[in-house]
Each structure stands twice: as structure tokens, then as C-alpha cells.
Amino acid sequence: MLIAITTATGQLGRLVVEQLKSQVPTDQLVALVRTPAKATDLGVAVREADYSRPETLAAALAGVDTLLLISSSEIGQRAAQHRNVIEAARQNGVKHIVYTSLLHADVSELSLADEHRATEETLKSAGIPYTLLRNGWYTENYTNSIAGALAGGAFIGSAQEGKISAAARADFAAAAVAVLTSPGHEGKTYELAGDDSFTLAELAAEVSRQTGRDLPYRDLPRADYAAALAGFGLPEGLAQAIAGWDVAAAHGALFDESRQLSRLIGRPTTPLATTVAAALR
């Protein structure tokens, strides 16, 4: 059986490939990437596959049995890009597509959800057995901001007291590996989130505890938070989007207590304190 992983040089893709290599012979793995020269260190076969260039996808998917379709990072282009991949998979006889969607994509108020919903509908109409991995937020989405928060003297956001059920990126990679390497997942949808949830105030408290610094959380109105992000150099559209995601988190869009992720990977998800400690090393 040949397993293909798209965007294999991305942060999630690399983790998936590395974990798969410990469970599957490397000659049964193929990394699909936009720029093959960046994938020479993966230790598996590499094929060019550009979501926006359908002419690259037929050869990339030749002989593939199972495809992990990791969602594109190009917001606004995702639905069309994913449709290109799914159509190429259909034409090449791919037997199973595993797609990394968004937590509660069918009802989520996150602006990201629209393109995931569209992709899920494309999958449902393609006639290929599929599995939906509806991933919640990566804890690293927040811990990557620790250095900036320490420099600025506070975490800022607009999530109020919203609970965020984040997990480490490696946990979500392990879920993908579990589905790719075991039977019985076709037709299933998994809502994947961390075992434990935290508010941004609790995140700030954990960073304070580990650093010995007094790092408060300052909740801002959406417009003020977006303006602050733009002031840090983020493009205006992205700043507005991030602020909107925080507002959605305040309304519960990133909360889930079903513990489907830990059941799927067979262990507890990585605690917040562990991911914070890794970011501080």
C-alpha cells in the first residue's frame, strides 16, 4: 500500500512523515510537495505536487492508495486547491482520502470554516472513501507568541474567558498516522482537540510560572486587537482575521471536551505546561 502525504515539508507534514517512518516501510511512503528540493531530508520518495497546478497532480498521485490531504495554508484559495487534489485522486483511483479539516467545521463561526465546509462537501460528492480529521487549534499557535509577549510585558487578545481545547501539533500528527495505518476509519469524522482546555489568562499564568515573570493577559476589543497586530507588522487582512478568530474562541468555537483525539492516539494529549516549556527552551 502506498501512502502519500501532501505539503510534507510543512510543520504538520514533517511530523506525520517522521512518525509514519517508525511504523511503515519507507518504500510505502511518498511525500508530495510544491518544491521537491526542500524535501530531500525527509528520507522518503518525493514527488512534485502543487495544489494550484493540476497538471502536477496526476503524476504525483499515480499508484497512491491512501492520501493524507493536509489543508492548504493559502486562505481564500483552499477550496479550489483542495478540489484540484480530490479530482486528481478520483481520476487516479485513490482508495481513501484523509483530510485535515477544522474543529466543528460544519457549525463553526471561525472564518476559516467556510473553505473547510466546501472541501468536505467536495469529498462527499467525489465517490472516494474519506475520513475527516477536524483539527482544533495547535498549542504552538500561542506558544510561538511567548517571546513577543515577554518583550511587550503581556499577552493580548480578544478571546475573553473562552476555553481553548488546544493540543500540540505532534498530537494531531499522531492522529493522522493512526488513521493512515489502521483499518475502520472510512466514513468517520473525528473532532480533535486537547484533553484539557485553557483561557488565554491561564496561558499567561503558566508562562509567568515557568519564567518567574509577571505576564498578565490583557483582553482587548476586536478592533483594538486587530490594530495592535497590524502595528506589529501583520498584513491588515490577517490581523483582522486573527482578531476575529479570538472573538469566535470567546464564543466557544475552539472548545471541545469529547477527548476523541486522545482516544484515537491511545494516550493523553500533550499538556499545556509541556508545550510552554518546549517553547522556552
Side-chain angles (χ1 to χ4, degrees), residues 115-192:
E115 291 186 296
H116 287 293
R117 281 192 286 265
T119 299
E120 290 187 6
E121 288 304 313
T122 300
L123 276 170
K124 291 172 183 177
S125 63
I128 304 170
Y130 64 87
T131 304
L132 301 180
L133 302 180
R134 287 181 171 167
N135 289 355
W137 241 226
Y138 303 138
T139 311
E140 289 89 345
N141 291 351
Y142 296 108
T143 58
N144 288 344
S145 300
I146 288 175
L150 289 169
F155 266 102
I156 62 173
S158 296
Q160 300 180 25
E161 293 300 311
K163 287 282 190 178
I164 299 161
S165 307
R169 187 177 278 108
D171 296 336
F172 292 102
V177 170
V179 170
L180 292 168
T181 58
S182 62
H185 301 286
E186 290 85 349
K188 293 186 177 180
T189 297
Y190 295 102
E191 303 289 354
L192 302 181

Side-chain angles (χ1 to χ4, degrees), residues 160-161 198-206 215-217:
Q160 300 180 25
E161 293 300 311
F198 56 86
T199 65
L200 293 188
E202 290 168 338
L203 169 64
E206 179 60 30
L215 190 70
Y217 169 63

